[in-house]
Amino acid sequence: MSLTPSDPSDLLISTRNSHKLREIHAIMADLNLNLIDLGQFPDAPEVEEDQDHLEGNAMKKAEVLFSFTELPTMADDTGLEVAALGGAPGVHSARFAGPMADSAANRALLLKRLHGVDDRRAQFKTVIAFATESGTRVFEGVCGGTITREEKGEGGFGYDSIFKPQGYEQTFAEMAEEEKNRISHRGRALEKFRVYLHALTQSVNKDPQ
Ligand code: IMP
């Protein structure tokens, strides 16, 4: 198996978010890859998420970290798009309540903006970018649902406690991690990425030496 000519099975996951890392490890577990995280590269540059689209940010992160580490690198960027807010906060989800805002402040502002609003429709979107010597590919996953009127649940992170996926009575924060992974935006994008990697490794294994 070879993702690039330089290293047979290493894959750098370019995130410092422990929740994301756990989700990614759980979904990629059966691929026999050596998943490496940024903890092994303390000098890796912080990549500013300053692009207009999720795809631009994901590609930028993956490409900068690929150049720095020379390892095949995946990076993701996620946004929550709220219909009644014209798709906001979208690519600005992490900084919705200001440049230094934490997730609790972001959730509080979103609930405030939707106070008295009946249209609660929203979707999470994740774009995964995978950068190698051969270029960069992207994989997208979407999960539709609604914004609740109050916080519910203790699990998850970010906006999980105010997002109820379509067809479910629980918020992401009330679900078991495996259940969230099965239906979530990131789970869906990762599944496409997993299928791609699986096909790639199969075709390389079949290649005559
Ligand atoms: P980023 O992809 O880490 O830049 O995330 C952008 C924003 O969306 C941050 O505020 C995250 O906390 C939030 N976010 C990312 N993924 C999820 C998720 O799976 N559930 C809830 N919030 C998320």
Side-chain angles (χ1 to χ4, degrees):
M1 180 180 63
S2 172
L3 295 178
T4 76
S6 58
D7 202 318
S9 58
D10 289 340
L11 172 61
L12 178 73
I13 304 170
S14 144
T15 181
R16 297 185 196 280
N17 179 322
S18 60
H19 292 272
K20 282 189 185 179
L21 275 174
R22 246 203 342 266
E23 290 182 3
I24 292 167
H25 273 261
I27 291 170
M28 309 293 269
D30 65 335
L31 275 183
N32 198 25
L33 294 170
N34 181 28
L35 301 178
I36 298 170
D37 63 60
L38 283 177
Q40 294 187 31
F41 292 96
D43 299 332
E46 279 297 329
V47 182
E48 203 185 339
E49 298 185 8
D50 55 3
Q51 305 294 297
D52 292 340
H53 299 284
L54 299 173
E55 184 173 321
N57 281 332
M59 289 179 73
K60 181 178 172 188
K61 277 190 274 186
E63 288 168 1
V64 170
L65 272 300
F66 170 62
S67 300
F68 182 80
T69 62
E70 296 182 351
L71 293 173
T73 300
M74 68 156 284
D76 84 312
D77 199 24
T78 295
L80 177 61
E81 300 171 343
V82 179
L85 302 180
V91 71
H92 304 297
S93 294
R95 300 170 296 282
F96 188 41
M100 306 303 284
D102 62 9
S103 290
N106 289 334
R107 291 192 300 272
L109 178 61
L110 186 52
L111 289 180
K112 192 170 153 198
R113 290 271 172 87
L114 291 182
H115 185 71
V117 176
D118 286 333
D119 180 0
R120 315 292 297 186
R121 289 170 303 141
Q123 65 175 21
F124 271 115
K125 189 184 286 180
T126 287
V127 176
I128 288 174
F130 178 50
T132 69
E133 289 173 358
S134 322
T136 306
R137 283 178 177 265
V138 295
F139 306 85
E140 190 179 294
V142 173
C143 180
T146 51
I147 303 298
T148 54
R149 293 185 188 268
E150 56 192 26
E151 303 220 10
K152 283 183 187 154
E154 304 293 329
F157 68 102
Y159 295 90
D160 277 349
S161 59
I162 58 168
F163 182 82
K164 203 187 274 186
Q166 197 170 5
Y168 290 79
E169 284 309 312
Q170 300 157 299
T171 65
F172 271 157
E174 293 176 300
M175 289 183 170
E177 221 166 75
E178 311 81 65
E179 194 173 12
K180 177 188 173 188
N181 286 346
R182 208 158 33 77
I183 59 168
S184 80
H185 42 295
R186 188 170 305 99
R188 288 175 174 157
L190 278 169
E191 182 55 24
K192 290 182 189 168
F193 181 41
R194 206 186 65 79
V195 167
Y196 168 77
L197 285 181
H198 185 66
L200 190 69
T201 53
Q202 294 293 104
S203 72
V204 169
N205 283 340
K206 271 189 207 141
D207 276 353
Q209 295 296 310

